[in-house]
């Protein structure tokens, strides 16, 4: 692949990396205009007009119980019902997003539900923000600009050829077992060439390989990212679905949802995620059914921070 072909691909991967790396809380609008149950449609009209917005959540003790959209407002206006309460006109079953979710989950939700905005809630299920596609576009432009500045600085002060620093993303596809394992092999080679102790290299290789195969075998595709510096190796796995219903069960040794064909290929023994956690110094997993799964594993390189288990 020549330079002209490679550049658009790298740009595309960089955007996808941002989508998987950013949290909804980093992108959403925190200033939320909401109404209580006892407000009228006239109140909603005033809020929408004064703030140039197209949707207003209805809350009860900070918890979302409904939402009034522009369509709801227009229907009430046509029927001369602007003095009626919002509870008669609101959409009662509201799809919310958790603020700690990766941005990739939100993009999946926009595609699945065809909504123009989502209320965002915290762990207490309290309203903390609103997310629109405009928020997402602005965040991506901001982050891409920041990365561009960092790349320019790096070109001005390049690392030494054997420097222990790498930021790389691999795109993986469903059932592509032929290429499954290539990413972990490249990272293993990178670390060995820079004199990282064999025991640490093996741990990184195990974690990256298991996550790589998980993406190929159990998801509809995703990305495997490596952020390496002198202190640690951070491996991030992000997929586009189908998501895990019970992450606690998925962490049980021997538990697997692999079909017969995957098992016939020699995979699906149910040891992938447990193995990743076992070799990692830090481990985290988040998943939402229909949206995807994110796994992050950190393996420390400094002796004082290494988990000897």
């Amino acid at each position: 692949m020549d330079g002209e072909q490679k550049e658009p691909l790298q740009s595309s991967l960089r955007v996808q990396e941002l989508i998987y790396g950013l949290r909804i809380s980093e992108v959403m609008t925190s200033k939320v205009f909401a109404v209580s149950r006892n407000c009228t449609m006239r109140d909603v009209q005033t809020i929408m007009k004064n703030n140039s917005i197209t949707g207003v959540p209805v809350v009860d003790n900070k918890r979302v119980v409904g939402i009034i959209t522009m369509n709801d407002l227009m229907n009430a206006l046509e029927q001369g019902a602007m003095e009626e309460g919002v509870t008669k006109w609101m959409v009662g079953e509201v799809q919310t997003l958790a603020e700690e979710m990766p941005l990739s989950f939100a993009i999946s939700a926009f595609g699945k539900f065809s909504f123009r905005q989502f209320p965002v809630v915290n762990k207490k299920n309290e309203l903390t923000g609103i997310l629109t596609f405009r928020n997402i576009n602005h965040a991506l432009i901001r982050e891409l600009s920041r990365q561009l500045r960092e790349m320019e600085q790096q070109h001005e002060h390049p690392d030494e050829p054997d420097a222990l620093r790498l930021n790389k993303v691999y795109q993986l596809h469903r059932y592509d077992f032929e290429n499954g394992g290539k990413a972990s092999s490249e990272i293993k080679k990178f670390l060995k060439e820079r004199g990282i102790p064999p025991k640490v290299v093996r741990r990184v290789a195990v974690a990256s390989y298991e996550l790589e195969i998980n993406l190929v075998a159990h998801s509809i595709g995703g990305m495997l990212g490596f952020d390496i510096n002198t202190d640690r190796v951070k491996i991030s796995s992000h997929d586009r679905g189908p998501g895990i219903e019970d992450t606690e069960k998925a962490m049980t040794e021997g538990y697997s949802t692999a079909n017969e064909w995957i098992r016939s290929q020699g995979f699906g023994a149910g040891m992938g995620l447990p193995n990743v956690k076992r070799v990692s110094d830090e481990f985290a997993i988040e998943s939402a059914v229909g949206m995807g799964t994110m796994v992050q594993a950190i393996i420390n390189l400094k002796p004082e921070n290494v988990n000897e288990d």
Side-chain angles (χ1 to χ4, degrees):
M1 181 181 293
D2 60 33
E4 291 183 359
Q5 291 175 313
K6 192 173 182 180
E7 187 172 339
L9 175 60
Q10 291 300 323
S11 298
S12 175
L13 290 176
R14 197 170 294 120
V15 171
Q16 292 186 52
E17 181 185 3
L18 288 174
I19 289 172
Y20 286 108
L22 287 170
R23 298 279 175 167
I24 290 176
S25 59
E26 300 175 89
V27 179
M28 69 183 190
T29 298
S30 298
K31 186 177 181 181
V32 185
F33 298 96
V35 294
S36 62
R37 289 177 181 271
N38 58 4
C39 288
T40 67
M41 295 301 287
R42 183 74 66 191
D43 297 325
V44 173
Q45 181 188 34
T46 301
I47 291 174
M48 285 188 179
K49 180 180 178 182
N50 291 345
N51 299 284
S52 301
I53 56 178
T54 59
V56 177
V58 181
V59 297
D60 186 358
N61 291 325
K62 298 183 180 180
R63 299 197 173 190
V64 180
V65 295
I67 190 168
I68 299 291
T69 67
M70 183 62 74
N71 285 339
D72 301 321
L73 183 65
M74 294 302 295
N75 289 336
L77 187 62
E78 289 175 0
Q79 297 184 36
M82 296 304 290
E83 304 307 323
E84 291 185 357
V86 294
T87 54
K88 180 178 178 179
W89 295 92
M90 70 183 187
V91 177
E93 295 183 4
V94 183
Q95 177 68 41
T96 61
L97 297 174
E99 61 183 11
E100 71 273 12
M101 281 182 172
L103 188 58
S104 59
F105 288 13
I107 292 177
S108 296
F110 273 108
K112 182 177 181 180
F113 297 103
S114 300
F115 295 156
R116 299 176 66 179
Q117 58 194 318
F118 286 93
V120 181
V121 297
N122 59 19
K123 291 182 179 179
K124 296 180 181 179
N125 211 29
E126 297 171 337
L127 180 67
T128 57
I130 290 287
L131 184 71
T132 67
F133 241 112
R134 178 179 292 183
N135 296 140
I136 295 173
N137 289 334
H138 286 174
L140 292 178
I141 292 171
R142 182 188 69 235
E143 290 300 310
L144 283 171
S145 297
R146 180 185 61 78
Q147 286 197 2
L148 181 60
R149 290 193 299 270
E150 290 179 354
M151 289 171 61
E152 290 173 345
Q153 292 174 359
Q154 192 172 22
H155 283 308
E156 293 175 3
H157 307 284
D159 292 330
E160 294 297 324
D162 60 345
L164 188 57
R165 186 173 298 278
L166 180 69
N167 196 313
K168 191 165 185 178
V169 178
Y170 296 86
Q171 192 166 25
L172 299 167
H173 303 282
R174 188 179 195 183
Y175 297 161
D176 185 13
F177 291 105
E178 182 178 348
N179 292 303
K182 286 187 176 180
S184 51
S185 294
E186 287 187 14
I187 297 304
K188 180 179 179 180
K189 180 181 178 183
F190 174 84
L191 295 174
K192 287 178 67 176
E193 289 175 346
R194 283 152 182 80
I196 300 302
K199 184 176 180 180
V200 177
V201 174
R202 283 196 299 272
R203 292 171 60 203
V204 173
V206 168
S208 55
Y209 178 78
E210 295 287 11
L211 290 175
E212 191 171 1
I213 294 302
N214 260 11
L215 283 168
V216 171
H218 299 294
S219 79
I220 59 176
M223 301 178 69
L224 189 66
F226 295 87
D227 183 1
I228 302 174
N229 60 32
T230 54
D231 295 323
R232 52 95 182 111
V233 175
K234 181 167 72 174
I235 311 169
S236 301
S237 166
H238 311 270
D239 69 52
R240 298 186 292 274
I244 301 173
E245 290 188 14
D246 188 337
T247 53
E248 186 175 345
K249 185 180 290 186
M251 294 303 302
T252 304
E253 293 187 3
Y255 176 79
S256 177
T257 58
N259 58 38
E260 289 302 318
W261 181 79
I262 292 175
R263 292 177 186 273
S264 72
Q265 303 300 305
F267 304 102
M271 295 299 295
L273 290 175
N275 278 341
V276 176
K277 184 176 182 179
R278 177 177 56 82
V279 300
S280 301
D281 294 298
E282 297 179 39
F283 176 88
I285 181 170
E286 294 180 19
S287 189
V289 175
M291 297 184 189
T293 301
M294 182 182 76
V295 180
Q296 186 174 95
I298 294 178
I299 298 171
N300 295 320
L301 301 180
K302 293 290 182 69
E304 62 270 20
N305 297 325
V306 170
N307 179 3
E308 295 295 338
D309 186 15

